[in-house]
Amino acid sequence: MTPGVDVINGPRRNGQTVTIRGFDAEAIITLMDGRRQNYESAHDGRFYFDPALMKQVEVVKGAASSIYGGGGIGGVVAFETKDASDLLRPGQNFGAMGGFRGRSANGEISSSASVYGRTENLDILGSLALRKSGDIRDGDGEDLETDDQVVSGLFKLGYTLNDWHTFKLQYQGLNNDGQEPNNGAGGISSSNPIVNKVVDDHQFSARYEFSNPDNDLLNLKIHAYYNDTETEEEDISGANLGRVQVRELNTTGLTVDNQSVFALSDDHSHTLSYGFEIYRDVQEGSSTATGDGTRPGVPDAEALNWGLYIQDEIELASNVGTFLVIPAVRFDQYRSEDNVGNSQNESAISPKLALSYKPTDDLVFFGSLAQAFRAPNMTELYPSGQHFPGGGPIPNNNFVPNPDLKPETVTTLELGVGIKFEGLAANNDQLKFKGAWHYSRGEDFITQEVDIFGGTTENLNIDKAILWGAELEGEYQINKFTAKAGLAYVEAKDDDTGEYLSNNVPLTLTTDFSYEFESISSTIGWRSRFATENDHVGSGEDSTAGYGVHDIYYRYAPTEGDFKHLTVDLGIENVFDKYYTKRFATLPEEGINFGARVTLKW
């Protein structure tokens, strides 16, 4: 329901990525409990987790890299999992939770079990989830070949010493054993055969936090983590039957953050945030079909990134309203190299200035001017080997490394307003509205150029790009009825040629109407998504038809009585079995789906 945010690249789990204002994958910083998710593949998703214990998802739109780190020219998606304290009721020290889910569109059956507890100083949680699903049925009744068996686990341990010192350990892991095309976002073909794909993802982290409400100068967080993600693909069809290809990426990271609060008066305060980040990525690719064992397009390489940031939130209260001024700046240094001697070493400064003015509690004007950059990743810089075989007059196509590829830089101006009304049609109703316009100027956008008759594939820079768009969102509540709506649009062009870029987002409207039946502890709702035709496409690309898709959902969640530990969710997605494809996607989305989820706590 968040305008400007979507999940794209088709319905297969392994191929899906999040997009923000038309930016996708590498242009977005993706965090899982603060750990960078840097797995980079043109064919696969960027993160692997089971949603059963997801607490919240924070989305930051636009160039907000000052605190979150370099690379976020499109924004940030931060996933956060639950702790034991989020699941335990007041006064409860130990609990357990079990869940079961079924979906008709892909024949999915899943189950999860969690145990959790706390003492005065200890917080512990363990969870295991199993999922099995098959082919995905689209709106035309055709099946997209997919077979997934997923096992995932989460373990969290927290210990608080002397009230203010907290130590946390976490492990999160996933194994996905399935059969689908090599490129999960594409259709089956001779160049995209069915493979047995095994994804192994293991993530470890250790944290230290100091938080004393009586200490305004020290609110310290130190976080060290290690991620190991590997995808192994064995061809079980096609000309390369028996070929095994592997891509592995290890990320080791450390972040140190602190906040200091300076209350100069009742009307004037500063919240100073500052910190340091360093992380190292090591990538290896292998294939049984090449003479030297390397995998085409997956270079053996490593990259080291580090950065410093400082941000000041200046709050000023006056008799004409409240002002919030947020200046920030970040410095990043990055270097990378592959195993044949190609290398890159660059640095960048990312400034930001945000302003907001609240003349009343019900009205706010806001704006920001920010610059962010994205360093080219190892796969973009150093690919080599064959991209795809030729035939007839078309030669074999080979990757060409480009170690001189420049970082993408985006400068974004955003202006907006938020307003709240109460007592419009009744004493207890409320209307909230927010609108924003954004304009971005990009330099050295990275794009892939495939020369069919020249036999080369190379990543190049587009000198200048212009992106602009707007977002509107509103919410109206009266009694137990809630209506939400969001509208988003993005237009992106190469500033030199005038050609449209793949960052375009057609005019998209989302709506959500719900009503809570308090007497029977139930909520029922209707969600819809409408998109106009995506005809702003570059040369050689096809337009995508507009569509309208509807979902119905129901939740039963009593808070007292014999069933107070039970939650039942029922839904029908794509109610009218619409056949549709999202912008710039190859595959149609899922057809009608009947879903049910039952959760029980003890």
Side-chain angles (χ1 to χ4, degrees):
M1 275 298 297
T2 304
V5 180
D6 197 7
V7 177
I8 61 170
N9 286 343
R12 289 193 180 104
R13 182 182 292 114
N14 284 331
Q16 292 179 330
T17 58
V18 176
T19 178
I20 301 176
R21 291 178 174 173
F23 288 99
D24 184 21
E26 287 82 4
I28 297 172
I29 298 173
T30 305
L31 302 173
M32 175 63 66
D33 286 330
R35 303 182 300 273
R36 278 182 175 263
Q37 306 297 293
N38 287 349
Y39 186 74
E40 50 195 48
S41 168
H43 294 170
D44 299 310
R46 192 165 184 140
F47 43 85
Y48 301 97
F49 63 89
D50 191 281
L53 283 176
M54 198 56 54
K55 178 180 179 180
Q56 65 179 22
V57 181
E58 180 183 3
V59 176
V60 180
K61 302 175 185 177
S65 66
S66 298
I67 286 182
Y68 290 97
I73 59 175
V76 178
V77 178
F79 298 92
E80 184 179 350
T81 57
K82 294 178 181 178
D83 296 314
S85 57
D86 298 311
L87 299 171
L88 291 167
R89 300 184 303 275
Q92 185 183 17
N93 293 322
F94 176 81
M97 180 174 68
F100 175 84
R101 181 184 183 186
R103 303 182 79 253
S104 66
N106 62 347
E108 180 178 297
I109 297 176
S110 64
S111 58
S112 62
S114 305
V115 292
Y116 38 87
R118 64 183 171 193
T119 64
E120 184 177 354
N121 299 318
L122 187 66
D123 186 299
I124 188 169
L125 178 147
S127 178
L128 181 67
L130 307 174
R131 289 176 181 266
K132 180 175 176 56
S133 59
D135 293 347
I136 301 170
R137 179 189 174 280
D138 66 26
D140 265 357
E142 300 294 328
D143 287 338
L144 300 176
E145 188 163 343
T146 306
D147 182 18
D148 281 331
Q149 298 182 63
V150 183
V151 180
S152 60
L154 176 67
F155 175 78
K156 303 178 80 171
L157 175 68
Y159 183 77
T160 301
L161 179 67
N162 296 332
D163 293 332
W164 320 126
H165 305 273
T166 301
F167 302 87
K168 296 181 178 180
L169 298 175
Q170 179 176 331
Y171 165 76
Q172 183 173 320
L174 178 142
N175 174 272
N176 186 340
D177 189 346
Q179 293 182 1
E180 62 184 43
N182 174 276
N183 175 4
I188 300 171
S189 66
S190 59
S191 60
N192 190 31
I194 294 292
V195 299
N196 188 69
K197 180 179 292 188
V198 179
V199 179
D200 272 310
D201 182 61
H202 302 279
Q203 305 192 21
F204 307 84
S205 66
R207 293 173 178 266
Y208 166 75
E209 299 177 3
F210 175 83
S211 181
N212 182 348
D214 296 327
N215 190 329
D216 291 335
L217 299 181
L218 195 60
N219 187 0
L220 180 64
K221 297 180 181 179
I222 301 174
H223 181 201
Y225 62 91
Y226 174 76
N227 303 339
D228 181 3
T229 306
E230 179 182 287
T231 300
E232 179 183 286
E233 298 165 334
E234 179 182 357
D235 289 49
I236 58 176
S237 65
N240 294 303
L241 183 67
R243 178 183 62 176
V244 177
Q245 299 188 108
V246 177
R247 179 196 297 263
E248 183 177 10
L249 182 74
N250 300 324
T251 301
T252 306
L254 173 70
T255 60
V256 181
D257 302 281
N258 188 50
Q259 278 192 341
S260 300
V261 179
F262 302 92
L264 303 184
S265 69
D266 292 340
D267 300 326
H268 183 189
S269 67
H270 292 252
T271 301
L272 200 63
S273 302
Y274 45 96
F276 169 77
E277 177 187 27
I278 185 170
Y279 61 94
R280 178 173 179 260
D281 290 327
V282 179
Q283 178 176 270
E284 294 184 2
S286 65
S287 173
T288 60
T290 59
D292 58 1
T294 60
R295 179 173 179 177
V298 184
D300 292 347
E302 62 180 71
L304 180 68
N305 297 259
W306 66 270
L308 300 163
Y309 76 89
I310 185 169
Q311 173 178 287
D312 190 12
E313 294 186 28
I314 307 167
E315 187 170 354
L316 299 168
S318 70
N319 56 5
V320 296
T322 301
F323 297 86
L324 184 64
V325 184
I326 307 178
V329 65
R330 182 181 180 95
F331 172 81
D332 286 279
Q333 176 80 35
Y334 64 93
R335 67 174 184 263
S336 64
E337 61 182 359
D338 67 5
N339 65 340
V340 297
N342 295 311
S343 64
Q344 187 176 82
N345 191 341
E346 300 287 347
S347 61
I349 295 176
S350 305
K352 173 185 175 181
L353 179 64
L355 306 169
S356 68
Y357 168 55
K358 293 182 67 175
T360 70
D361 290 338
D362 298 330
L363 178 64
V364 61
F365 299 94
F366 60 90
S368 66
L369 179 63
Q371 187 176 82
F373 85 102
R374 181 182 80 83
N377 64 47
M378 296 175 288
T379 302
E380 292 168 327
L381 286 166
Y382 311 122
S384 62
Q386 188 180 98
H387 185 192
F388 54 84
I394 299 175
N396 291 338
N397 192 280
N398 294 297
F399 289 104
V400 178
N402 184 5
D404 296 324
L405 200 63
K406 299 177 183 178
E408 297 177 327
T409 303
V410 175
T411 303
T412 299
L413 172 66
E414 182 169 352
L415 301 172
V417 61
I419 190 168
K420 181 173 69 175
F421 301 97
E422 295 181 339
L424 291 174
N427 292 331
N428 62 341
D429 72 346
Q430 177 180 275
L431 173 65
K432 293 186 291 185
F433 172 85
K434 180 181 178 182
W437 170 86
H438 54 90
Y439 175 89
S440 297
R441 183 176 181 85
E443 296 182 0
D444 298 319
F445 262 33
I446 297 172
T447 185
Q448 188 175 87
E449 184 176 282
V450 181
D451 187 345
I452 297 294
F453 294 101
T456 61
T457 295
E458 186 176 8
N459 292 304
L460 303 171
N461 291 111
I462 295 175
D463 288 341
K464 290 181 175 62
I466 299 296
L467 301 87
W468 71 271
E471 295 164 356
L472 301 173
E473 56 183 309
E475 179 179 332
Y476 178 72
Q477 290 182 312
I478 181 170
N479 297 321
K480 300 299 179 181
F481 173 76
T482 302
K484 300 178 182 179
L487 192 67
Y489 175 80
V490 176
E491 185 172 300
K493 289 185 178 181
D494 184 321
D495 197 33
D496 293 329
T497 66
E499 186 172 350
Y500 286 113
L501 303 176
S502 60
N503 303 79
N504 284 286
V505 178
L507 188 65
T508 304
L509 170 67
T510 56
T511 61
D512 188 344
F513 302 96
S514 63
Y515 189 87
E516 180 183 357
F517 296 88
E518 191 172 13
S519 61
I520 55 173
S521 305
S522 299
T523 300
I524 189 169
W526 183 291
R527 269 191 306 262
S528 301
R529 181 183 183 90
F530 307 91
T532 60
E533 179 186 7
N534 180 35
D535 54 1
H536 290 175
V537 297
S539 60
E541 296 178 324
D542 296 326
S543 61
T544 307
Y547 60 86
V549 183
H550 305 269
D551 305 331
I552 298 173
Y553 60 91
Y554 167 80
R555 164 165 282 200
Y556 174 69
T559 57
E560 56 185 24
D562 295 338
F563 300 104
K564 64 181 179 181
H565 304 312
L566 176 69
T567 300
V568 178
D569 291 290
L570 304 174
I572 306 175
E573 299 169 315
N574 195 355
V575 173
F576 301 110
D577 205 15
K578 177 72 174 180
Y579 179 86
Y580 71 104
T581 303
K582 291 186 178 180
R583 65 176 190 88
F584 299 109
T586 302
L587 298 178
E589 294 297 316
E590 197 174 66
I592 188 171
N593 173 68
F594 298 89
R597 181 174 59 189
V598 178
T599 305
L600 183 63
K601 287 184 178 182
W602 292 272

